[in-house]
Amino acid sequence: MRILVRTDAGDAAECAAGLIAERLARDPKTVLGLATGGTMEEVYRRLIVRHRAGTCRFAEATSFNLDEYVGLGAEHPCSYWRYMREHLFDHVDLAAERAHLPRGDAADPQAEAERYEAAIVAAGDIGLQLLGLGPNGHIGFNEPSSSLASLTRVKTLARSTREANARFFARAEDVPRLAITMGIGTILRAREVVLVAIGPGKAEAAARMIEGAVSASCPASVLQFHRHCTVVLDRAAAEGLALRDYYEDIHPGGC
Ligand code: GLP
């Protein structure tokens, strides 16, 4: 794992946006794995700035989002479809027919999950997977106890995840109980992974992911097995790392 510790949240978002832009410059046909959540809003803002400046093009890229809530159609204001349109898709030149999310309102969510997994395989798997980190160590919606070999499927959300995401909904009880999520096995097939974690609320999960035992009780810890994984943290999220000095010696300033 390459651990980059940046000064603050804005700096970490800029670093992640830079890694994505570099990848797209090297391989404009990259299959991007995209994430949602508060952390990504700033990453996408920085990508849009680059796009407007003419330094980041998505015209030939394909994208697959990590997850979607079961029961929410694309037009639901809290769906990840709407999130992606608002925070990225409506502002860049990614072709609509190559931007994919699981359909949360599919009549048979498990069949939809299997279709989605097959579509990722057919696209040649993910080239660069962007990830956030759940306070409980989840990636996508792979909650603790998820199989480390899992494929895209329907998962029940942990109560703590529903509480953490309640801020995006009008009422806490509106947060769906189920989601379709890429599996951990799906994520591990990505050729490159960039995980971003910001703020003190992620410090414990970040320490378990980077320095703890590989375990389904912290799904993100499986990234220790990935050959090309970069973790971008701000100082607050890096607070619990025992080897922080070492990471900062290797990558001064998180570069
Ligand atoms: C949700 C998403 C995850 C994301 C996590 C962290 O649970 N399914 O993919 O990593 O939120 O979100 P935030 O950045 O808002 O802390």
Side-chain angles (χ1 to χ4, degrees):
M1 270 181 175
R2 180 167 65 138
I3 316 297
L4 306 180
V5 182
R6 306 293 287 228
T7 314
D8 56 28
D11 199 21
E14 184 62 27
C15 173
L19 293 170
I20 296 166
E22 276 165 31
R23 177 88 193 196
L24 285 168
R26 267 201 320 277
D27 176 11
K29 291 187 194 301
T30 295
V31 179
L32 291 170
L34 298 177
T36 50
T39 309
M40 296 306 150
E41 292 178 15
E42 192 58 28
V43 176
Y44 295 146
R45 253 193 295 275
R46 308 277 171 146
L47 279 174
I48 293 166
V49 168
R50 285 165 189 261
H51 177 67
R52 290 191 178 140
T55 55
C56 182
R57 293 182 64 250
F58 296 79
E60 296 173 66
T62 296
S63 73
F64 286 90
N65 262 76
L66 278 166
D67 44 23
E68 179 59 283
Y69 292 109
V70 167
L72 304 196
E75 292 312 322
H76 190 287
C78 300
S79 73
Y80 282 161
W81 257 111
R82 275 286 281 272
Y83 171 105
M84 289 308 299
R85 287 189 53 190
E86 183 185 336
H87 294 289
L88 186 68
F89 295 162
D90 284 354
H91 311 283
V92 299
D93 57 346
L94 181 65
E97 67 276 14
R98 285 201 299 276
H100 307 277
L101 278 90
R103 286 195 296 258
D105 58 352
D108 181 343
Q110 185 53 40
E112 169 62 8
E114 286 163 26
R115 181 198 68 78
Y116 197 71
E117 179 74 27
I120 294 169
V121 171
D125 280 323
I126 306 295
L128 184 150
Q129 177 67 56
L130 182 60
L131 293 176
L133 178 65
N136 65 356
H138 76 214
I139 46 177
F141 273 132
N142 293 284
E143 301 287 26
S145 82
S146 288
S147 158
L148 299 183
S150 51
L151 302 179
T152 307
R153 69 211 182 292
V154 176
K155 279 296 288 180
T156 302
L157 303 185
R159 189 176 305 164
S160 64
T161 297
R162 296 179 64 230
E163 286 165 4
N165 289 352
R167 68 190 195 278
F168 297 109
F169 290 78
R171 298 175 314 166
E173 56 269 35
D174 293 342
V175 184
R177 292 180 176 276
L178 301 175
I180 297 174
T181 180
M182 279 189 205
I184 296 176
T186 320
I187 292 168
L188 285 177
R189 295 199 310 268
R191 285 181 280 290
E192 179 178 357
V193 172
V194 175
L195 183 144
V196 189
I198 300 301
K202 302 293 172 70
E204 189 191 334
R208 291 177 71 203
M209 163 178 72
I210 296 165
E211 296 175 346
V214 174
S215 160
S217 68
C218 178
S221 65
V222 76
L223 295 171
Q224 294 175 32
F225 278 123
H226 198 281
R227 289 192 186 83
H228 193 359
C229 175
T230 301
V231 176
V232 185
L233 305 172
D234 68 349
R235 283 192 181 142
E239 209 51 54
L241 296 174
L243 300 177
R244 184 171 155 181
D245 290 352
Y246 176 60
Y247 312 134
E248 290 187 328
D249 280 352
I250 304 171
H251 301 291
C255 299

